[in-house]
Amino acid sequence: MTKKEVPSWVNSLMDIGLTIGRVPHAQHHIAPYDGNYCIVSGLCNKSLDESGFFRRLEHIVYNLNGIESNAWKLDAKLRERTLRGEYRLEN
């Protein structure tokens, strides 16, 4: 969304740095959708992405309900690595 499309109070929070900015948030919506899930502040993105936290979470969700993450649908190697328990993202 552009600055004009969001409420003014959201823009104010972004402008003062209380919430994640538009550009970093947009990374969350770019294929292969394999990181940048912390869309409120973004402060934890680096450590959670590097630790493999969200890969583990996707694996747990898959084991519970059989639904694959969008990242897996775009990247068969990421799916294979995650299902083997290799959770850290490759740089």
Side-chain angles (χ1 to χ4, degrees), residues 27-35 37 55 58 69-71 74 78:
Q27 297 301 308
H28 171 77
H29 296 281
I30 297 173
Y33 313 105
D34 63 355
Y37 288 126
R55 297 288 78 76
E58 289 170 351
S69 91
N70 287 333
L74 296 171
L78 175 64

Side-chain angles (χ1 to χ4, degrees), residues 5-69:
E5 295 173 313
V6 298
S8 61
W9 63 271
V10 173
N11 286 318
S12 296
L13 293 175
M14 288 180 179
D15 291 342
I16 63 173
L18 196 56
T19 62
I20 195 167
R22 280 169 286 288
V23 173
H25 180 143
Q27 297 301 308
H28 171 77
H29 296 281
I30 297 173
Y33 313 105
D34 63 355
N36 297 300
Y37 288 126
C38 300
I39 60 169
V40 176
S41 73
L43 292 175
C44 298
N45 273 331
K46 184 175 176 15
S47 60
L48 291 175
D49 287 349
E50 289 176 356
S51 74
F53 174 81
F54 292 110
R55 297 288 78 76
R56 284 185 181 90
L57 191 57
E58 289 170 351
H59 197 175
I60 290 167
V61 169
Y62 176 75
N63 285 336
L64 290 173
N65 64 19
I67 296 175
E68 295 186 2
S69 91

